[in-house]
């Protein structure tokens, strides 16, 4: 899947998905939303793609909903419907993907653009990038899972401050607060993102996918529930060929060659 609004490129064992409306800072239109969801679904279903990089073209990552499509003179839109149709499926897909999704935030990430980035599994950001919960500036509430994700990542005090004020959060501060994994020099962003993703793509894909699900479940499980879930999931992981290969490689003192299959 590749059209001019969302570009898909194959890396070595992974897919690079790039939002591509640079003149609008990659703001979301229905077509871009739908195409992005299709690209993520296709990567998740493709046995040759064992990880994904999500990034943006030009100087921005994504400025959220394209406000050019929301002219108040056209009447009152049903924003609940657009969220149900476009944004929520995207966040659900990112969380449910069985392969790691690395977000390389190349520039400003605002509104739903920020929360799509923060729903990814590992977030790297160029030092010049900023995260802006822009919703307050236009009379909306944070969406795309922002109130859930951001509050869990940085706590209520910081979440309320950035969401009520709409103040930009720099990449360095985002790293310091634990909102993202790492801020990197602008010209090193894609090199680092590719190195990390390539490494993950060569890993024990089923085990990595199960690890992601366990971490996500931990947010709402009790310790007892999580212990049981870890037991059941480990039982499953122990049946994979990658587990057998990992142990054999260790015993034979050689690098493991994971096939990324059960
Ligand atoms: O509606 C629904 O379905 C509900 C769901 C909502 C989800 C949301 O995401 S709501 C939040 C929408 N996004 C925003 O409110 C952010 C709006 N943009 C900005 O505040 C600023 O553009 C930024 C802080 C992101 C970046 O500022 P700056 O100074 O670096 O760039 P700029 O000059 O403002 O923008 C560059 C161009 O992109 C400019 O176009 P021009 O003048 O060169 O022709 C600007 O109009 C355009 N642009 C930026 N953001 C959007 C946009 N065009 C349409 N929609 C945008 N969101």
């Amino acid at each position: 899947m590749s059209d001019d609004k969302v570009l898909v490129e194959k890396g070595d064992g992974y897919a690079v998905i790039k939002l591509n409306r640079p003149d609008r800072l990659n703001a979301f239109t229905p077509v871009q939303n739908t195409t992005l969801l299709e690209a993520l679904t296709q990567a998740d279903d493709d046995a040759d793609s064992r990880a994904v990089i999500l990034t943006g073209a030009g100087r921005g990552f994504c400025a959220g909903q394209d406000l050019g499509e929301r002219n108040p003179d056209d009447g009152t839109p049903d924003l609940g419907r657009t969220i149900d149709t476009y944004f929520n499926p995207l966040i659900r897909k990112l969380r449910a993907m069985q392969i790691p999704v690395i977000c390389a935030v190349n520039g400003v990430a605002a509104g739903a653009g920020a929360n799509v980035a923060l729903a990814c599994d590992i977030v790297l950001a160029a030092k010049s990038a900023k995260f802006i919960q822009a919703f307050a500036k236009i009379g909306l509430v944070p969406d795309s899972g922002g109130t859930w994700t951001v509050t869990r990542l940085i706590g209520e005090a910081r979440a309320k401050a950035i969401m009520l004020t709409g103040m930009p959060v720099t990449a360095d501060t985002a790293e310091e607060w634990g909102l993202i994994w790492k801020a990197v020099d602008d010209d090193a962003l894609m090199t680092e993102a590719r190195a990390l993703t390539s490494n993950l793509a060569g890993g024990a894909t089923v085990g990595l996918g199960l690890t992601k699900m366990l971490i996500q479940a931990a947010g709402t499980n009790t310790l007892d529930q999580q212990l049981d879930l870890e037991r059941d999931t480990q039982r499953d992981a122990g049946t994979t060929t990658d587990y057998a290969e990992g142990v054999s490689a260790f015993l034979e003192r050689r690098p493991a060659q994971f096939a990324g299959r059960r």
Side-chain angles (χ1 to χ4, degrees):
M1 161 60 52
S2 186
D3 82 356
D4 62 339
K5 304 293 179 273
V6 177
L7 304 175
V8 181
E9 174 209 317
K10 283 282 177 80
D12 184 18
Y14 59 89
V16 182
I17 301 177
K18 187 183 276 187
L19 303 174
N20 188 38
R21 296 183 69 230
D23 55 324
R24 301 284 92 176
L25 300 180
N26 303 318
F28 280 118
T29 60
V31 169
Q32 176 149 312
N33 264 305
T34 308
T35 315
L36 174 58
L37 183 60
E38 283 171 12
L40 291 169
T41 304
Q42 224 166 72
D44 203 20
D45 293 346
D46 177 1
D48 293 334
S49 287
R50 291 163 61 185
V52 168
I53 298 179
L54 177 62
T55 191
R59 72 176 178 88
F61 171 70
C62 176
Q65 168 62 38
D66 188 321
L67 297 178
E69 303 210 335
R70 294 285 180 267
N71 185 349
D73 294 343
D74 296 340
T76 307
D78 178 353
L79 299 188
R81 192 183 64 78
T82 69
I83 284 176
D84 247 350
T85 310
Y86 299 113
F87 291 102
N88 285 354
L90 208 46
I91 301 303
R92 290 193 171 106
K93 182 66 199 168
L94 286 167
R95 296 282 294 182
M97 280 180 73
Q98 296 171 59
I99 55 177
V101 183
I102 289 71
C103 193
V105 182
N106 53 299
V108 66
N115 293 333
V116 165
L118 297 171
C120 295
D121 299 315
I122 302 181
V123 185
L124 300 177
K127 291 218 180 226
S128 66
K130 290 184 174 60
F131 296 84
I132 308 177
Q133 296 290 329
F135 309 89
K137 304 280 189 193
I138 55 168
L140 290 186
V141 300
D143 59 28
S144 303
T147 54
W148 192 92
T149 310
V150 174
T151 307
R152 278 170 170 73
L153 289 171
I154 61 176
E156 208 174 299
R158 284 169 169 159
K160 281 181 179 160
I162 66 173
M163 289 181 172
L164 295 178
T165 65
M167 64 183 263
V169 178
T170 65
D172 280 326
T173 301
E175 177 187 323
E176 188 192 322
W177 286 358
L179 186 64
I180 65 167
W181 163 239
K182 202 171 171 193
V184 301
D185 288 337
D186 286 20
D187 54 11
L189 178 70
M190 286 314 291
T191 309
E192 258 204 58
R194 281 180 183 276
L196 172 64
T197 309
S198 174
N199 186 273
L200 290 166
T205 307
V206 175
L208 297 183
L210 294 173
T211 301
K212 165 176 171 170
M213 296 311 157
L214 279 173
I215 292 169
Q216 293 178 178
T220 47
N221 272 348
T222 63
L223 175 60
D224 277 334
Q225 288 170 328
Q226 193 70 11
L227 288 170
D228 288 348
L229 186 60
E230 286 178 359
R231 175 205 57 215
D232 294 343
T233 309
Q234 196 71 294
R235 182 173 287 138
D236 185 16
T239 66
T240 63
T241 53
D242 278 346
Y243 167 64
E245 164 62 8
V247 175
S248 299
F250 174 79
L251 296 175
E252 294 161 18
R253 299 178 190 278
R254 59 170 175 82
Q257 296 293 324
F258 293 118
R261 289 195 305 272
R262 289 202 151 267

